[in-house]
Amino acid sequence: MKLYVVRHGQIDGNVENRMYSLTDKDLNEVGRKQALKTAEKIKKLSYDFVLCSPLKRAKRTCDTINSYHQKKVIYSEKLIERDCGNLEGKLTCEFDYANYWNYDKNLTYGTAIKIQDFYHNIWSFLDDLKQKYTDKNILIVTHNGVARAIHSYFYGIPKDGDTECYSYNNAELREYTDKS
């Protein structure tokens, strides 16, 4: 199985360093241009279908990227960003953002989902994909937290637990191959 993973294009909250997980924001002008640029890079890739978060920012990115291929798109709630609970809409400087993404610390932040629970859900989803689609190439369009969890699945958790080092830029593409 080969995965092509793309984070959605920019939204205003990314520029403001504001936490958005379940709030359904659309791409801003820069985000739409980023999605087009990524679409140009991806047009020569071969993939069998697309898995996408159902939130607007991911859907818009997906529609732009997939316009060259017109492959089947499956929307999955499992690809939605980590629910940040009562941190929704807060600036990242208003809390300990680094520790929020530290896998080893697994801290409770109000009503936010704990990082280990979130990662384990993503890893379980990837295990299911491996079993079901061993010989497929899949494009995944999702969010930064999900992308970090995917990266951790293939490369492990950093020694200090700080998964922020696995962050994707907006509309960034990475490729992963399962060799099992």
Side-chain angles (χ1 to χ4, degrees):
M1 176 181 75
K2 183 176 281 191
L3 299 180
Y4 299 106
V5 180
V6 176
R7 178 186 180 194
H8 63 77
Q10 185 183 85
I11 62 172
D12 291 337
N14 299 138
V15 178
E16 300 162 352
N17 291 318
R18 199 168 287 283
M19 291 291 289
Y20 286 121
S21 58
L22 307 183
T23 301
D24 206 6
K25 299 284 186 176
D26 204 349
L27 301 181
N28 60 22
E29 184 62 30
V30 170
R32 289 189 290 279
K33 288 178 182 174
Q34 290 170 332
L36 278 170
K37 189 174 178 183
T38 302
E40 285 294 318
K41 288 180 193 173
I42 288 180
K43 73 180 180 182
K44 293 184 175 151
L45 294 180
S46 173
Y47 56 89
D48 298 294
F49 63 94
V50 184
L51 291 170
C52 183
S53 161
L55 297 181
K56 286 179 193 172
R57 56 196 182 265
K59 286 170 82 172
R60 172 82 66 131
T61 303
C62 173
D63 291 346
T64 303
I65 289 170
N66 194 35
S67 63
Y68 288 108
H69 295 273
Q70 298 298 313
K71 297 291 185 173
K72 178 182 178 181
V73 177
I74 301 166
Y75 296 101
S76 175
E77 302 276 326
K78 295 179 180 189
L79 294 172
I80 291 178
E81 182 61 277
R82 176 182 175 194
D83 183 351
C84 66
N86 61 330
L87 297 176
E88 191 80 19
K90 292 198 180 291
L91 296 171
T92 57
C93 64
E94 294 180 285
F95 63 99
D96 192 341
Y97 184 76
N99 279 336
Y100 176 81
W101 286 107
N102 190 297
Y103 184 85
D104 292 342
K105 293 191 179 177
N106 199 34
L107 299 176
T108 300
Y109 279 86
T111 58
I113 302 266
K114 287 181 135 188
I115 189 170
Q116 287 183 11
D117 294 338
F118 176 69
Y119 274 40
H120 289 239
N121 287 336
I122 300 300
W123 296 344
S124 175
F125 178 68
L126 293 171
D127 285 342
D128 292 344
L129 286 181
K130 274 186 357 185
Q131 287 181 352
K132 194 171 180 183
Y133 301 112
T134 349
D135 59 341
K136 299 291 183 193
N137 295 339
I138 305 167
L139 173 65
I140 295 178
V141 182
T142 191
H143 308 272
N144 197 20
V146 176
R148 289 178 191 190
I150 292 170
H151 193 89
S152 298
Y153 180 85
F154 287 95
Y155 291 99
I157 299 293
K159 289 193 186 308
D160 63 359
D162 182 9
T163 63
E164 194 174 354
C165 66
Y166 292 160
S167 284
Y168 278 53
N169 295 317
N170 288 109
E172 181 179 350
L173 166 72
R174 293 188 193 168
E175 183 180 318
Y176 304 92
T177 303
D178 177 57
K179 296 175 174 49
S180 58

